[in-house]
Amino acid sequence: MNGTLRGSGAAAAKTSLSVDSTAQDVSWRLRARRYGPTVTLYFLATYLTNAHTMADTVNYAESILAHMRGEYVFFLEFHHLLWRPIGWLSFMVIKPLAQWASGTADGRVGVVWTLMALNWLAGLGAVILVRALLVLFCRRDLLADIIAFTFVLSNGFLNYSQAGTSYISGLCLLLLCFYLLLKSGKQEKSNWLSGVGAGLALAGTLSLWAPYVLAAPAALLSPLLFCGFDKTRFRLTLVASITCALVAGAIFGSVALYLGLVDTAGFRQWMGISSVSGSQINGIARVLFGFPRSIMNMGQDAPLFKRYLVHDPFNPVSLPDLVQLSLWKLGLFYVFLAAMLGSLLFSSRGRRVFALFLLNAFPVVLFAIFFYGADMERYLGLYPTLFISLGCALCSDKARTVLKWLALLFLAAVAISNIGGASKIVLQKQEEKVFARIKDLQPVLKPQSYVVTVDLSEELSNFNRTYLFNPVNIKYQLRIYSLLSLNTAQVTRWRESFAVQALSIWQGGGEVWVTKRVKSPIPRSEWNWVEGDDPQVSWTDVHKFFESLEMSASVGGDDGFLLLSASPENERLLRVLADNELRGVVK
């Protein structure tokens, strides 16, 4: 009898273990099915493409290197407070790996590689979190995969996940905040630990990129708006808000005290230290173009739109030209956005998500209207509710077939535009084209010499920032000076600034090589100059200024460079302008 009982007990235990093992296998298979396709696409997309703009990656790397030398170059800058310290600490930990992976012992390259690696990992986390968020709103795996694929291939995410900026790391933590609050809000008994975790994630978000604060109201109120108001969810939101306020306040406050900022004036100056003053980089037109550009690569369409809007007299663009070349991208984006948001209004859950999207969009878009609305990163704070809205719209039982087909068309357009525009093959050809301009100049460049370009839209202006691993940038660290920073206060004194720079270069033993483009009375279309983009300066002003200066040696073909002669006459003209700059006189 006892043997029989022992035998049955052992059999029951074995059966229980078998059931548990089967349940675990099913759970892992479910996770693999749910996250596998999206993660695989992320690996594939980042393998086939590179960042087409590295933004301020070089600035962060140089600031970290300066810190390692005992210097202070915006190491604790307000808008990206923890990014440089995290990059510095990570580089110190994985320095041998960074040097091996980048193929050089150059510290600058190693720091850049470290920042890019951190961002890539954050991008992987963001991809997983987006797919996890969609589980809360969409039970149809195929539709959820389509939405997650659109996120992976979106222009802003695909680019910055491969750059060394803090945008994607901050976005990953912002998505984590949304996920913790919405998942806990959907449960009958919300876990206060989820509120603490969400608050910590949001504080980390703000410490990586301060403008994400514009998305904070939507993140904190998301469980109340989507799941409904009750005491449990209110406490969840309250815990998250208090945690975020205390932690963010402690981080920013302690750094301010460390920097000796004990008064309001000093703190306000710290807050604005990375801002670029200027009144022209704003407006609704820039937002109407910038928002779609954040999702879909517009290539060289930006100058076309600008030329049409400002009626460029040198390279005019007509409305039929826009329609033929790229207006269809804008049209497709806004038709799809309108269809998506409109479909949310047909259900009670959709209307709640619509309200959440508006709460997120209003501060983000309003800020973009007044500050660099054409930049892709300006709209990353809108990504969480944008893709939540898309999930609710497509996965609703009331979703119309036309919306689903429109979503497939939109995904196809995003994939073709973004992978095609950022593919390694395309970017390599662009790099080779720019390198061809300086190939003949490289052997004659002295160590302290500078190459002068017209403005930042010229491809060469960003050569040492976009193609960081080019041998020229690693070995020679090509020094480039751009005459114009359009739509900023610098434009009003560009001649004076150039004079100071040129005299300083000569004094340091270097030479000044100026692009031959300044000798052309009319800019070519492919040079990306837009006459009227900044009403403070004209191409004619640049042309006339350099016509008055003496040039000597010439290198390269028609698009090569001229050596600014260090003649007494040139020095006299530049000295007058430099003196005006020192006295604050602007002509």
Side-chain angles (χ1 to χ4, degrees), residues 281-351:
I281 312 180
N282 53 40
I284 296 177
R286 295 179 184 273
V287 172
L288 292 176
F289 178 79
F291 188 17
R293 181 171 173 261
S294 181
I295 303 297
M296 190 182 300
N297 191 326
M298 299 291 178
Q300 296 301 316
D301 298 349
L304 297 178
F305 279 95
K306 289 181 181 179
R307 285 168 183 159
Y308 174 75
L309 292 173
V310 301
H311 307 291
D312 187 337
F314 293 135
N315 295 288
V317 175
S318 65
L319 184 59
D321 293 333
L322 283 183
V323 174
Q324 180 181 358
L325 293 172
S326 60
L327 196 60
W328 67 270
K329 294 180 183 179
L330 281 182
L332 177 61
F333 174 82
Y334 282 112
V335 167
F336 179 66
L337 182 65
M340 179 195 75
L341 295 177
S343 66
L344 293 175
L345 301 177
F346 290 98
S347 67
S348 58
R349 188 178 78 159
R351 286 189 288 272

Side-chain angles (χ1 to χ4, degrees), residues 30-46:
L30 179 62
R31 289 192 181 96
R33 167 61 192 89
R34 181 173 291 166
Y35 299 105
T38 307
V39 170
T40 301
L41 178 65
Y42 179 68
F43 275 85
L44 184 62
T46 53

Side-chain angles (χ1 to χ4, degrees), residues 363-427:
V364 171
V365 173
L366 185 64
F367 181 71
I369 290 174
F370 292 99
F371 192 81
Y372 286 88
D375 292 351
M376 292 187 299
E377 66 271 18
R378 201 64 57 215
Y379 307 94
L380 290 174
L382 193 51
Y383 275 30
T385 60
L386 178 64
F387 288 95
I388 287 173
S389 300
L390 184 55
C392 286
L394 286 179
C395 297
S396 172
D397 295 333
K398 297 182 179 181
R400 297 175 182 256
T401 304
V402 65
L403 178 62
K404 296 177 182 179
W405 281 109
L406 191 59
L408 288 174
L409 176 62
F410 185 71
L411 173 60
V414 167
I416 293 171
S417 298
N418 296 353
I419 293 181
S423 72
K424 291 181 178 179
I425 297 175
V426 171
L427 294 180

Side-chain angles (χ1 to χ4, degrees), residues 438 441-453 460 464 472-473 475-482 498 501-514 553 555 561-564 566:
I438 61 172
L441 178 63
Q442 183 182 336
V444 300
L445 276 179
K446 294 181 179 180
Q448 301 303 318
S449 297
Y450 272 76
V451 178
V452 178
T453 61
L460 184 58
N464 57 358
V472 172
N473 290 324
K475 186 176 181 180
Y476 297 102
Q477 292 190 12
L478 187 67
R479 293 178 171 84
I480 298 174
Y481 177 82
S482 294
F498 170 73
Q501 182 72 16
L503 292 172
S504 175
I505 294 169
W506 286 340
Q507 187 176 4
E511 295 177 329
V512 180
W513 290 89
V514 183
V555 171
F561 302 89
L562 298 169
L563 178 63
L564 182 66

Side-chain angles (χ1 to χ4, degrees), residues 506-548:
W506 286 340
Q507 187 176 4
E511 295 177 329
V512 180
W513 290 89
V514 183
T515 173
K516 288 183 179 178
R517 296 181 180 184
V518 299
K519 289 295 186 176
S520 174
I522 297 177
R524 297 178 188 171
S525 176
E526 62 268 23
W527 293 349
N528 294 329
W529 175 268
V530 180
E531 183 71 12
D533 182 30
D534 188 335
Q536 302 173 99
V537 64
S538 168
W539 180 271
T540 304
D541 299 331
V542 177
H543 172 67
K544 288 182 177 180
F545 176 70
F546 282 96
E547 282 291 292
S548 65

